Amino acid sequence: MSLIDIGKRLYEASQVLATMDTKSKNEALKEVALSLKGHAEHILRENQKDIEKAIENNMKESLIDRLRLSEERIDDMIEGIHNIIKMKDPVWKSSEVWTLENGLTVSKMTVPIGVIGIIYESRPNVTVDAFSLTLKSGNCILLRGSSSSMHSNRALVYAMKEGLKKSNISEEVIGFVDDPNRSVVKEMLTLNKYIDLIIPRGGNDLIQFVVNNASVPTIETGVGNCHIFVDATANIQKAINIIENAKVQRPGVCNACETVLVHKNIAEVFLPKLYDYLKDRVEMRGCEETKKMIPVKCATKEDWAEEYLDYILAIKIVQNLEDTILHIRKYGTKHSEAILTENLSNANKFLRQVDAAAVYVNASTRFTDGSQFGFGAEMGISTQKMHARGPMGLNELVTIKYTILGNGQIRE
Amino acid sequence: MSLIDIGKRLYEASQVLATMDTKSKNEALKEVALSLKGHAEHILRENQKDIEKAIENNMKESLIDRLRLSEERIDDMIEGIHNIIKMKDPVWKSSEVWTLENGLTVSKMTVPIGVIGIIYESRPNVTVDAFSLTLKSGNCILLRGSSSSMHSNRALVYAMKEGLKKSNISEEVIGFVDDPNRSVVKEMLTLNKYIDLIIPRGGNDLIQFVVNNASVPTIETGVGNCHIFVDATANIQKAINIIENAKVQRPGVCNACETVLVHKNIAEVFLPKLYDYLKDRVEMRGCEETKKMIPVKCATKEDWAEEYLDYILAIKIVQNLEDTILHIRKYGTKHSEAILTENLSNANKFLRQVDAAAVYVNASTRFTDGSQFGFGAEMGISTQKMHARGPMGLNELVTIKYTILGNGQIRE
């Protein structure tokens, strides 16, 4: 089927899905969960083909691990669906209702967006997570995974559609781009007639490609060059624990910390302790001043801008809070930023002046995450400012409609 | 100054403006209002140059009237500023605060977007309205008006900047593209580094140009092919008044009605009355069935799709509500749609199933407007679904930031 045909069917299906009640959507999700369980063997067999191809192509072991499915991982996806079933339906809620002088009553109601496209490089579980979130919020989904997980995604989509066939909701609410060529992505990005929103999930190259080629509205996700500022009054033990957590717990993710900025008045006490604690696990790169205090490699200008996604940490000594804010403004990606301090005025200044999706006082940046925030699963973490910022859960997958009730009013 | 330099200055200014308190912003707006009054003579003189050029170029009289400024129109702009001063500051408000199990308190705070570009063909008053709305919401503005109002806009910007010089807020919060070439618009549309959002206001050509060429996020505004559906149970006198209002009161605007859809069971009684009431003022074009009842011109397929913006009305007889919804889905632009009915179930179905920014029961579509809705002035009416939909006032000119307060929390 051509992409235009897929788009047209999704658009038609979206008009019906938008008016479905919560019960029907939840029952369809239950059928999909059952079907994934029933098709587990087929899914694992298809996944094995992707794994074999990845080995042939000498893919990195960590990436192969991301790609690999197992009974347990399929069960996790199913559990994810059941979590979304439990969540509140975000559609047809009113955040504001008011009545004008002339008696017209205006309500601002939430409604589904329509058709949401997702272009992703990540693990196959995104196929299931993204579908469940969009279905629960009344949206159709157009899936375009990476070519390396094509067999797995195809099998997952097949199982999900088989599940939908047993429900009141049409299998047409899922569109699957079964074409490994990048040209089809370009076509997707300009299909304004049928697609309302495209969310890219992957590396910076993919995201830039999408932003530069899309006429369909997009939401940028993911790139995170996150900083932790250790203020002069920081609690040293807490600071060490937080930095360890933000760097080491899972370095390959966007909310991991990449640079630590240390106030000059605490550096001499703090840095040796940090160094001792991390030196066996983390490669540290410091500014000139840092190098006078601990035996680390030299950080270049490139280090301040880099999202390592690895066991590497850049360290810079700063004069004061103002310096810190300017450094973050220059090198940050507006994802997650933290200050560790016991000074209330500095905490408030940091919260106000640092421009990012999530700004922390005395906590690890690793909390910027839909499930940590209590949103259930997430569609990604928006690092731009339109429509949604930070973790995108069900409530970010709706738009609004004004409904106006009158009894003959005309404008004067 | 090059556009990149203007962008850079705006970006810098936006970081300062974002943290300004309401009092400073209101005082700056007062100074701008005073300065516009003080520079009225200069503004009118410059406006006269635009008028003379427009006459030379044989511009339509109605367009020249839109361009023309007067003491009174300047006073209206000033009154607009004072209205915005009275409105609530939309920045640093929390719509949601919650505490996680681990004790972290998460607040979803409103913050300014940053730098907003506006590309407009409309009257010079947009220069002042757009500035006041963005300043009050803590945003910098990049203005690019049409070349036909270049002298007027330049004089208005000059006066506004002179006003800002007397306040605590830098004149750098206004950027003005003083270049009539379209190439500069294209440059503006890809200046992602410094511009957070671009709003085009004008005809469909301009809007499509912006959407197709922008990598900066955009909000589409304005095109409105609005319908009124006269259901079988509609109150005939109210229906005639509403259609007259929606068509005749100001036909050149996006919320005016372009097509009336009439239920077949009421058509024979209703259409002759509508015809008698409008025939001297409105050219009516009907479907085959309509023509059997009233002596109107024949409507072609093109009529259903056209936004006349004129004293022309298309009329179609429909079989039922389902027909109506399908017609609107096919030809509507998702702006404003109305049903006139005394049947509650049909009213509800129309509200739910018609996908538009504003959906009305028993009222004129002309109410889709920021000041009618009580938003004060508006930046335009969004006809897309991301970030803002319908009239965009102060509350639509902010984004959010999560602030998270902890005491040493790390992720497990």
Side-chain angles (χ1 to χ4, degrees):
Chain A
M1 215 188 312
S2 77
L3 187 64
I4 290 182
D5 285 331
I6 298 176
K8 209 179 281 181
R9 281 172 182 232
L10 284 168
Y11 178 77
E12 289 301 327
S14 74
Q15 304 290 333
V16 181
L17 179 57
T19 62
M20 283 285 186
D21 55 35
T22 309
K23 199 175 165 198
S24 303
K25 292 188 285 189
N26 283 343
E27 277 170 6
L29 286 169
K30 272 177 216 157
E31 291 295 347
V32 167
L34 278 174
S35 179
L36 285 169
K37 190 72 187 164
H39 289 84
E41 213 173 300
H42 171 65
I43 293 165
L44 293 176
R45 213 161 42 230
E46 293 298 307
N47 178 248
Q48 192 51 36
K49 293 184 192 166
D50 285 332
I51 299 289
E52 279 160 22
K53 204 175 129 208
I55 294 169
E56 253 174 55
N57 294 340
N58 296 315
M59 192 187 273
K60 270 202 335 200
E61 185 49 48
S62 63
L63 290 178
I64 293 181
D65 182 60
R66 283 163 60 108
L67 189 56
R68 186 173 283 124
L69 291 178
S70 61
E71 286 264 5
E72 203 195 335
R73 283 187 172 174
I74 292 178
D75 286 343
D76 285 348
M77 293 182 201
I78 290 170
E79 200 194 318
I81 295 179
H82 286 292
N83 285 337
I84 288 172
I85 289 172
K86 280 181 222 136
M87 300 195 75
K88 273 198 178 167
D89 190 331
V91 171
W92 208 249
K93 287 196 312 187
S94 197
S95 57
E96 291 164 55
V97 182
W98 68 100
T99 299
L100 308 180
E101 279 182 14
N102 61 12
L104 282 180
T105 297
V106 185
S107 307
K108 189 174 178 179
M109 305 297 295
T110 54
V111 293
I113 290 171
V115 177
I116 299 177
I118 173 164
I119 301 172
Y120 53 111
E121 293 172 342
S122 5
R123 330 168 172 223
N125 71 304
V126 172
T127 309
V128 178
D129 288 353
F131 159 73
S132 330
L133 281 166
T134 48
L135 185 81
K136 180 82 182 221
S137 52
N139 297 290
C140 289
I141 190 146
L142 179 55
L143 295 158
R144 209 294 186 173
S146 82
S147 56
S148 61
S149 54
M150 210 46 121
H151 288 98
S152 316
N153 288 337
R154 194 183 292 134
L156 289 166
V157 167
Y158 176 78
M160 296 194 299
K161 286 194 175 229
E162 288 299 303
L164 286 173
K165 281 182 190 165
K166 293 188 179 134
S167 79
N168 289 329
I169 287 177
S170 160
E171 60 177 295
E172 304 281 353
V173 300
I174 307 177
F176 178 58
V177 182
D178 200 352
D179 180 344
N181 294 307
R182 217 176 201 189
S183 62
V184 78
V185 171
K186 224 165 170 172
E187 203 185 332
M188 209 173 141
L189 296 176
T190 53
L191 209 59
N192 296 52
K193 201 169 167 189
Y194 302 123
I195 306 178
D196 295 290
L197 169 65
I198 287 179
I199 302 172
R201 278 182 67 166
N204 198 27
D205 284 355
L206 170 71
I207 292 166
Q208 288 315 311
F209 180 80
V210 167
V211 169
N212 291 326
N213 289 284
S215 50
V216 175
T218 61
I219 293 184
E220 287 183 55
T221 66
V223 178
N225 183 17
C226 306
H227 301 78
I228 293 178
F229 170 52
V230 183
D231 197 7
T233 59
N235 176 307
I236 287 181
Q237 193 49 53
K238 282 181 184 171
I240 286 173
N241 291 343
I242 288 172
I243 293 168
E244 184 211 18
N245 183 255
K247 180 72 264 179
V248 177
Q249 196 226 12
R250 206 166 151 206
V253 293
C254 57
N255 56 20
C257 172
E258 307 292 5
T259 298
V260 168
L261 303 163
V262 182
H263 193 288
K264 66 176 196 301
N265 292 352
I266 201 174
E268 245 166 318
V269 183
F270 177 72
L271 283 178
K273 291 186 180 163
L274 182 72
Y275 178 78
D276 282 345
Y277 199 64
L278 294 181
K279 66 177 190 296
D280 298 333
R281 294 172 288 167
V282 175
E283 176 188 323
M284 286 171 263
R285 303 181 187 172
C287 67
E288 282 305 320
E289 292 302 309
T290 301
K291 285 182 62 192
K292 290 178 190 161
M293 299 175 198
I294 50 176
V296 294
K297 285 195 188 170
C298 179
T300 64
K301 232 180 162 182
E302 285 67 44
D303 283 293
W304 310 135
E306 202 170 330
E307 190 192 15
Y308 298 120
L309 298 172
D310 205 345
Y311 293 93
I312 306 172
L313 181 67
I315 301 174
K316 187 182 180 187
I317 293 176
V318 291
Q319 298 302 304
N320 49 38
L321 178 59
E322 287 66 37
D323 254 18
T324 302
I325 291 171
L326 289 176
H327 180 96
I328 293 174
R329 192 176 294 168
K330 190 163 180 189
Y331 296 106
T333 54
K334 304 189 178 179
H335 193 296
S336 300
E337 307 292 351
I339 182 173
L340 312 183
T341 190
E342 298 299 315
N343 179 320
L344 181 61
S345 143
N346 284 0
N348 281 335
K349 201 167 175 186
F350 191 88
L351 285 175
R352 288 275 193 147
Q353 296 196 6
V354 170
D355 184 20
V359 189
Y360 292 82
V361 176
N362 294 334
S364 167
T365 53
R366 289 277 294 115
F367 288 106
T368 308
D369 175 281
S371 56
Q372 294 293 320
F373 275 16
F375 299 171
E378 69 182 20
M379 277 295 275
I381 295 174
S382 162
T383 52
Q384 45 107 72
K385 297 179 179 180
M386 292 296 108
H387 191 78
R389 198 177 195 199
M392 286 184 285
L394 286 173
N395 290 324
E396 284 67 40
L397 297 178
V398 294
T399 178
I400 63 102
K401 168 201 276 189
Y402 289 102
T403 65
I404 303 102
L405 301 182
N407 55 6
Q409 282 84 349
I410 59 172
R411 185 162 167 184
E412 279 165 29
Chain B
M1 214 188 313
S2 76
L3 187 63
I4 289 182
D5 285 332
I6 297 176
K8 210 178 281 182
R9 282 172 181 231
L10 283 169
Y11 178 77
E12 289 301 328
S14 74
Q15 305 289 333
V16 181
L17 179 57
T19 61
M20 284 286 187
D21 57 33
T22 309
K23 201 176 164 198
S24 302
K25 293 188 285 189
N26 283 342
E27 277 170 6
L29 286 169
K30 271 178 216 155
E31 291 295 348
V32 167
L34 278 173
S35 178
L36 284 168
K37 189 74 186 164
H39 288 84
E41 214 174 298
H42 172 65
I43 293 165
L44 293 177
R45 213 161 44 232
E46 292 298 307
N47 179 247
Q48 193 50 37
K49 293 184 191 165
D50 285 333
I51 299 290
E52 279 160 21
K53 204 174 131 208
I55 293 170
E56 252 174 54
N57 293 339
N58 296 315
M59 193 187 271
K60 269 202 339 201
E61 186 48 49
S62 63
L63 290 179
I64 292 180
D65 182 61
R66 282 162 61 106
L67 189 54
R68 185 173 283 125
L69 291 178
S70 61
E71 288 264 7
E72 204 195 335
R73 283 185 173 177
I74 292 177
D75 286 343
D76 285 347
M77 292 181 201
I78 291 169
E79 202 194 318
I81 296 179
H82 286 291
N83 285 337
I84 288 171
I85 290 172
K86 280 181 222 137
M87 299 195 74
K88 274 198 176 165
D89 190 331
V91 171
W92 208 250
K93 287 197 312 187
S94 196
S95 57
E96 291 164 55
V97 183
W98 68 100
T99 299
L100 307 180
E101 278 181 16
N102 60 13
L104 282 179
T105 297
V106 185
S107 306
K108 189 174 178 178
M109 304 297 296
T110 54
V111 292
I113 290 171
V115 177
I116 299 176
I118 173 165
I119 300 172
Y120 53 111
E121 293 171 343
S122 5
R123 331 165 173 225
N125 71 304
V126 172
T127 309
V128 178
D129 287 353
F131 160 74
S132 329
L133 280 167
T134 48
L135 186 81
K136 181 81 183 221
S137 50
N139 296 292
C140 289
I141 191 147
L142 178 56
L143 295 158
R144 209 295 184 171
S146 82
S147 56
S148 60
S149 55
M150 209 48 120
H151 288 98
S152 315
N153 287 338
R154 194 183 291 133
L156 288 166
V157 167
Y158 177 79
M160 296 194 299
K161 287 193 173 230
E162 288 298 305
L164 286 173
K165 281 182 191 164
K166 294 187 178 134
S167 79
N168 288 330
I169 287 177
S170 160
E171 59 175 297
E172 304 281 354
V173 300
I174 307 177
F176 178 58
V177 181
D178 201 351
D179 180 343
N181 293 308
R182 219 179 198 188
S183 62
V184 78
V185 171
K186 225 165 168 170
E187 204 186 334
M188 208 173 142
L189 295 177
T190 53
L191 209 60
N192 296 53
K193 202 169 167 188
Y194 302 123
I195 306 178
D196 295 290
L197 169 66
I198 286 180
I199 301 172
R201 278 182 66 166
N204 197 28
D205 284 355
L206 170 70
I207 292 166
Q208 287 316 311
F209 180 82
V210 167
V211 169
N212 290 327
N213 290 284
S215 50
V216 174
T218 60
I219 293 183
E220 289 183 54
T221 66
V223 177
N225 182 19
C226 306
H227 302 78
I228 293 179
F229 170 51
V230 183
D231 196 7
T233 59
N235 176 305
I236 287 180
Q237 193 49 51
K238 283 181 184 171
I240 286 173
N241 291 342
I242 287 172
I243 293 168
E244 183 210 18
N245 183 255
K247 179 74 263 179
V248 177
Q249 195 226 14
R250 207 165 150 209
V253 291
C254 57
N255 56 20
C257 172
E258 307 294 4
T259 297
V260 168
L261 303 163
V262 182
H263 192 288
K264 65 176 197 300
N265 293 352
I266 201 174
E268 246 167 318
V269 183
F270 177 71
L271 282 178
K273 289 185 180 161
L274 181 72
Y275 179 77
D276 282 345
Y277 199 64
L278 293 182
K279 67 177 190 294
D280 299 333
R281 294 171 289 168
V282 176
E283 176 188 323
M284 286 171 262
R285 302 181 188 173
C287 67
E288 283 304 320
E289 291 302 307
T290 302
K291 284 183 63 192
K292 291 178 189 161
M293 298 177 200
I294 51 175
V296 294
K297 286 194 187 168
C298 179
T300 65
K301 232 180 162 182
E302 284 67 44
D303 284 292
W304 310 135
E306 202 171 331
E307 190 192 15
Y308 298 121
L309 298 173
D310 205 345
Y311 293 93
I312 305 172
L313 182 67
I315 301 173
K316 186 182 179 186
I317 293 176
V318 290
Q319 297 302 304
N320 49 39
L321 178 58
E322 287 66 36
D323 254 18
T324 302
I325 292 171
L326 289 176
H327 180 97
I328 292 173
R329 192 176 294 168
K330 189 162 180 187
Y331 297 106
T333 54
K334 303 189 180 181
H335 192 297
S336 300
E337 307 292 350
I339 182 173
L340 312 183
T341 190
E342 298 300 316
N343 178 320
L344 181 61
S345 142
N346 284 359
N348 281 334
K349 199 166 175 185
F350 190 88
L351 285 175
R352 288 276 193 145
Q353 297 197 4
V354 170
D355 183 20
V359 188
Y360 292 83
V361 175
N362 295 332
S364 168
T365 53
R366 289 278 293 115
F367 287 106
T368 308
D369 176 282
S371 55
Q372 294 292 320
F373 274 16
F375 299 170
E378 68 182 21
M379 277 294 275
I381 295 174
S382 162
T383 52
Q384 45 108 74
K385 297 180 179 179
M386 292 297 108
H387 190 78
R389 196 178 194 196
M392 285 184 286
L394 286 173
N395 290 323
E396 283 67 38
L397 298 178
V398 295
T399 179
I400 62 102
K401 168 200 277 189
Y402 290 101
T403 65
I404 302 101
L405 301 183
N407 56 6
Q409 281 85 348
I410 59 172
R411 184 161 166 185
E412 281 166 26

